[in-house]
Amino acid sequence: RRSSDLLRQVEHSQKLSSIGRLAAGVAHEINNPLAVINEKTGLMRDLIGLRDDFPDKERFLLLIDSVLKTVMRCRDITRRMLGFARRLDVTLEEININDVINETSGFLNQEALHRKIDLTLDLDADVTGIVSDRGQLQQVFLNILNNALAAVPDGGHIDIVTRGDAEGVSVIVRDNGCGMSKDTMACIFEPFFTTKKTKGTGLGLSITYGIVKRLGGEIGVESELDKGTAFTLRFPKHPKHEA
């Protein structure tokens, strides 16, 4: 069984590496026309700004600013794609994981309230700081919580539990949603595997798995059809960061 698990991890890493190369290629291809759009739009703004008699001057300047803001947003997206491909976006600092969970769950409170979902936090007050990346931890918990919200019915519940010890911190995210079969559980960390049909990309949990491993952590899942799912994450106090 151990050799089978190791083989699966190697295959998973190879697939993530292929996605990374694809993401880098796409990002570079997109950045070139973005640079042209940014340059020409900036020139248009300068030319319009020089003419006091330009018709509807203020309206056109506002439209140009909107285009430039959209270009910057696209650049942020391609930067994240390159960061995923090169694994350069890890910034290590001492973090209290309870703070990260409070922040991330706060993004979802409105949807939970609207759907009458009980989102419960059981956070160990004695949890000590770990050395990790705040932004990537937020992405991990956001991905898992979004999956839980998609799985639970209106009126359901999601529990988030943290427990700390001398070696690090454990986090459990448990829901009473639709659950998964054993066949599905064996594939959930595979790139492009999704049960959401047209609504999912199949990259959320795959990227989550990659981030957790990159931060020196472990992730596991237990699930039963029609009863719910529990993700267990373990983060060390001091990860061996892979550059």
Side-chain angles (χ1 to χ4, degrees):
R1 176 176 172 77
R2 180 170 173 76
S3 61
S4 175
D5 289 342
L6 288 172
L7 180 60
R8 189 178 295 115
Q9 287 184 24
V10 170
E11 290 175 347
H12 185 273
S13 296
Q14 289 174 341
K15 289 178 182 178
L16 282 181
S17 177
S18 297
I19 293 170
R21 287 194 294 272
L22 175 63
V26 171
H28 283 301
E29 288 295 324
I30 292 174
N31 276 339
N32 290 331
L34 282 179
V36 175
I37 294 170
N38 187 66
E39 179 186 351
K40 301 302 182 186
T41 309
L43 179 60
M44 288 170 58
R45 181 177 60 184
D46 293 342
L47 291 174
I48 292 172
L50 290 172
R51 289 186 53 182
D52 293 330
D53 61 340
F54 193 91
D56 294 323
K57 179 178 179 179
E58 293 302 321
R59 179 166 175 260
F60 275 94
L61 288 175
L62 285 172
L63 290 171
I64 287 172
D65 283 342
S66 178
V67 172
L68 290 172
K69 286 178 182 176
T70 303
V71 169
M72 294 307 297
R73 181 168 177 266
C74 290
R75 280 184 170 175
D76 286 341
I77 293 170
T78 58
R79 181 188 61 79
R80 288 198 298 270
M81 290 172 70
L82 286 169
F84 169 64
R86 297 173 180 171
R87 299 187 172 186
L88 292 179
D89 278 345
V90 174
T91 303
L92 297 178
E93 59 180 318
E94 186 163 339
I95 293 168
N96 186 311
I97 209 161
N98 289 347
D99 294 340
V100 179
I101 290 172
N102 273 314
E103 292 165 2
T104 309
S105 61
F107 298 146
L108 308 172
N109 278 338
Q110 201 61 36
E111 181 179 351
L113 187 64
H114 176 69
R115 294 178 51 200
K116 296 183 171 59
I117 293 172
D118 184 18
L119 183 58
T120 302
L121 305 184
D122 177 11
L123 308 182
D124 184 355
D126 295 327
V127 160
T128 56
I130 63 170
V131 175
S132 195
D133 181 293
R134 179 179 295 272
Q136 297 217 5
L137 283 177
Q138 284 180 333
Q139 184 175 351
V140 165
F141 296 128
L142 197 58
N143 285 345
I144 291 175
L145 288 172
N146 272 326
N147 274 6
L149 282 170
V152 300
D154 291 359
H157 64 79
I158 301 170
D159 302 317
I160 309 173
V161 180
T162 63
R163 294 291 180 264
D165 55 42
E167 303 298 324
V169 179
S170 296
V171 182
I172 301 171
V173 180
R174 184 184 297 111
D175 68 64
N176 69 333
C178 57
M180 294 179 284
S181 68
K182 289 184 178 179
D183 288 341
T184 298
M185 284 173 59
C187 300
I188 58 170
F189 296 122
E190 293 292 320
F192 302 116
F193 177 82
T194 180
T195 60
K196 298 177 183 176
K197 297 181 180 178
T198 58
K199 293 184 179 180
T201 63
L203 287 175
L205 284 177
S206 177
I207 291 173
T208 296
Y209 180 93
I211 292 173
V212 171
K213 289 292 184 180
R214 194 152 69 246
L215 295 175
E218 299 290 334
I219 181 170
V221 60
E222 294 180 0
S223 188
E224 191 172 347
L225 275 174
D226 301 321
K227 291 191 176 180
T229 300
F231 281 90
T232 301
L233 302 98
R234 176 75 183 173
F235 297 99
K237 291 194 72 172
H238 299 280
K240 293 181 180 178
H241 175 49
E242 179 182 319

